[in-house]
């Protein structure tokens, strides 16, 4: 954190003759939390500024999908058969994923940081309300990996029927955008029920996660404690914190799950609570997306798959005749 001398010096340099006297007086009379929040927000060399530039963070964690990079989806023979026969792929809502911390991991790290900084119950409660009120509650995840031959993923998602489907990133993006935009050709035209779609690289590294979350949580706390009487500045800072924590929640996962090597597509639907799910099974919401079988480039069969290769080949060839069927190179 910046020391008091640095903060006061930076503020004096900020408050030039162009700044109204009333504004100068208000800022210089802020408590230490408020002064630090203002400086860290504006100072390009601060930890917060380095880790809270939303454009930089979107560039770091998202992907352009301009290239048709090979991506692999691990599933079962039965699931693939259902997808091919129906022509649809079910994409599960984020809050119903296997990991109970899905879309919450960065928030939990931030709350742990706030607790270490002796944040009050009221402060932590308001931080949680900020997270809860973000417009990404109706979000869905379609998971892939860039690893085409993962023993762990074959086991976790395939068991005795494990397969890895190879598809192209650009093809996948086109499928999702076509479905979720409902014919809209611009985000400006999106309304209730339409969903924004973006590919994300998942970050598992605990140290790097902390490098992003800690300065953001500290900035939120400083702003909350020091800028309550400065509505314009506190709104700007807290909005910046809110947007970044939303992105981090989408991109950060528990480091103990690093074996998943996940690359994901996130679809966030505009929903004020009035839009019903496209599909609901056992109280779980899904996007029911049209699937283009011709996009399957290859199917890799797990070494422990109990289904005969010939049966899998016949099933796939019926819908995706050009797909390459192969056995995994893994020994077991």
């Amino acid at each position: 954190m910046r020391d008091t001398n640095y903060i006061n010096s930076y503020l004096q340099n900020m408050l030039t003759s162009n700044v109204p006297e009333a504004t100068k007086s208000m800022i210089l009379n802020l408590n230490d939390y408020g002064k630090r929040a203002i400086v860290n927000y504006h100072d390009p060399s601060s930890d917060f500024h380095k880790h809270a530039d939303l454009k930089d963070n979107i560039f770091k964690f998202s992907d352009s999908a301009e290239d048709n990079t090979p991506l692999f989806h691990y599933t079962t023979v039965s699931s693939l058969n259902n997808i091919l026969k129906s022509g649809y792929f079910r994409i599960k809502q984020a809050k119903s994923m296997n990991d109970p911390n899905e879309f919450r991991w960065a928030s939990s790290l931030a709350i742990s940081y706030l607790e270490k900084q002796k944040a009050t119950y009221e402060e932590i409660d308001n931080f949680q309300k900020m997270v809860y009120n973000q417009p990404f509650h109706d979000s869905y995840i379609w998971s892939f990996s860039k690893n085409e031959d993962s023993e762990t993923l074959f086991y976790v998602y395939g068991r005795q029927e494990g397969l890895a489907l190879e598809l192209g990133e650009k093809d996948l993006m086109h499928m999702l955008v076509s479905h979720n935009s409902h014919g809209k050709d611009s985000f400006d035209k999106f309304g209730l029920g339409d969903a924004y779609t973006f590919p994300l690289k998942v970050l598992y590294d605990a140290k790097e996660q902390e490098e992003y979350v800690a300065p953001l949580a500290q900035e939120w706390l400083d702003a909350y404690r020091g800028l309550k009487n400065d509505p314009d500045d506190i709104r700007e800072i807290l909005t910046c914190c809110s947007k970044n924590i939303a992105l981090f929640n989408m991109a950060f996962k528990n480091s103990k799950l690093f074996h998943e090597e996940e690359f994901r597509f996130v679809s966030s639907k505009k929903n004020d609570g009035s839009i019903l799910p496209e599909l609901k099974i056992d109280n779980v919401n899904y996007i029911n997306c049209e699937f283009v079988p011709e996009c399957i480039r290859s199917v890799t069969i797990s070494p422990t798959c109990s289904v005969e290769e010939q049966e899998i080949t016949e099933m796939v060839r019926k819908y995706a005749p050009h797909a390459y069927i192969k056995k995994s190179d893994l020994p077991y």
Side-chain angles (χ1 to χ4, degrees):
M1 294 184 189
R2 304 298 194 184
D3 62 32
T4 303
N5 290 336
Y6 181 92
I7 289 171
N8 289 332
S9 175
Y10 194 95
L11 286 176
Q12 290 291 349
N13 291 329
M14 275 183 63
L15 302 176
T16 63
S17 58
N18 297 324
V19 179
E21 287 301 320
T23 302
K24 287 183 183 179
S25 176
M26 184 273 293
I27 291 177
L28 291 175
N29 282 292
L30 289 171
N31 63 23
D32 289 344
Y33 295 113
K35 289 179 180 178
R36 186 165 64 195
I38 293 288
V39 170
N40 284 335
Y41 185 73
H42 291 280
D43 183 0
S45 67
S46 73
D47 277 347
F48 173 75
H49 203 285
K50 289 176 182 176
H51 294 93
D53 186 307
L54 191 60
K55 289 182 179 179
D56 285 349
N57 289 339
I58 289 174
F59 179 79
K60 177 179 175 63
F61 298 114
S62 67
D63 210 72
S64 67
E66 292 178 1
D67 297 323
N68 224 3
T69 306
L71 296 175
F72 300 88
H73 180 71
Y74 286 79
T75 188
T76 65
V77 175
S78 301
S79 293
L80 176 58
N81 190 38
N82 290 334
I83 293 166
L84 294 174
K85 281 186 174 181
S86 69
Y88 285 85
F89 190 94
R90 298 170 183 170
I91 305 170
K92 189 182 287 187
Q93 195 175 44
K95 65 182 181 182
S96 299
M97 303 297 281
N98 294 337
D99 179 7
N101 286 313
E102 198 66 77
F103 270 40
R104 300 183 183 93
W105 186 249
S107 297
S108 67
L109 295 178
I111 291 169
S112 293
Y113 178 88
L114 293 175
E115 290 172 343
K116 290 176 183 176
Q117 300 306 312
K118 309 300 182 185
T120 65
Y121 174 82
E122 181 214 0
E123 289 166 341
I124 291 175
D125 184 56
N126 275 280
F127 181 87
Q128 290 175 314
K129 285 178 180 176
M130 176 194 76
V131 174
Y132 179 79
N133 290 325
Q134 290 165 355
F136 299 105
H137 294 296
D138 197 13
S139 291
Y140 301 77
I141 298 173
W142 197 3
S143 299
F144 290 82
S145 174
K146 292 188 177 182
N147 185 346
E148 66 177 306
D149 233 2
S150 168
E151 179 186 0
T152 301
L153 296 179
F154 274 132
Y155 175 76
V156 172
Y157 296 104
R159 300 290 173 148
Q160 300 304 309
E161 289 191 21
L163 299 176
L165 310 184
E166 178 191 356
L167 299 103
E169 182 180 351
K170 190 174 183 179
D171 293 334
L172 288 163
M173 188 69 175
H174 178 73
M175 268 190 274
L176 285 168
V177 170
S178 297
H179 178 86
N180 291 327
S181 65
H182 302 109
K184 313 284 174 55
D185 58 4
S186 168
F187 287 154
D188 296 335
K189 299 177 182 177
F190 275 32
L192 289 175
D194 300 324
Y196 302 97
T197 302
F198 36 94
L200 282 177
K201 294 167 278 191
V202 175
L203 178 68
Y204 294 98
D205 186 275
K207 183 178 179 182
E208 193 171 355
Q209 289 175 358
E210 185 179 359
E211 288 173 358
Y212 279 90
V213 171
L216 183 142
Q218 184 64 58
E219 180 70 2
W220 185 93
L221 186 60
D222 286 345
Y224 187 81
R225 287 176 170 177
L227 297 176
K228 290 184 179 180
N229 297 322
D230 180 7
D232 291 335
D233 279 329
I234 191 171
R235 186 180 301 113
E236 185 175 346
I237 292 174
L238 297 187
T239 297
C240 178
C241 291
S242 177
K243 289 178 178 179
N244 275 285
I245 202 71
L247 176 63
F248 298 160
N249 271 333
M250 292 177 186
F252 293 4
K253 291 193 73 170
N254 188 334
S255 61
K256 295 185 184 300
L257 300 175
F258 72 95
H259 58 270
E260 294 180 346
E261 303 178 78
E262 186 180 354
F263 182 98
R264 59 174 42 166
F265 289 88
V266 175
S267 295
S268 289
K269 188 176 293 187
K270 294 188 72 172
N271 193 348
D272 61 359
S274 65
I275 304 299
L276 296 176
E278 295 179 11
L279 182 68
K280 196 180 189 81
I281 301 173
D282 296 331
N283 212 34
V284 175
N285 296 345
Y286 294 87
I287 285 176
N288 202 30
C289 184
E290 298 86 350
F291 185 77
V292 183
E294 293 81 4
C295 290
I296 299 177
R297 297 176 176 181
S298 72
V299 178
T300 302
I301 304 170
S302 164
T304 60
C305 183
S306 60
V307 182
E308 292 294 330
E309 181 177 354
Q310 182 62 31
E311 182 181 339
I312 296 171
T313 300
E314 290 175 0
M315 178 186 71
V316 175
R317 288 272 187 267
K318 184 177 179 180
Y319 299 93
H322 301 295
Y324 178 54
I325 316 296
K326 58 180 178 177
K327 282 275 195 180
S328 167
D329 290 330
L330 292 169
Y332 55 87

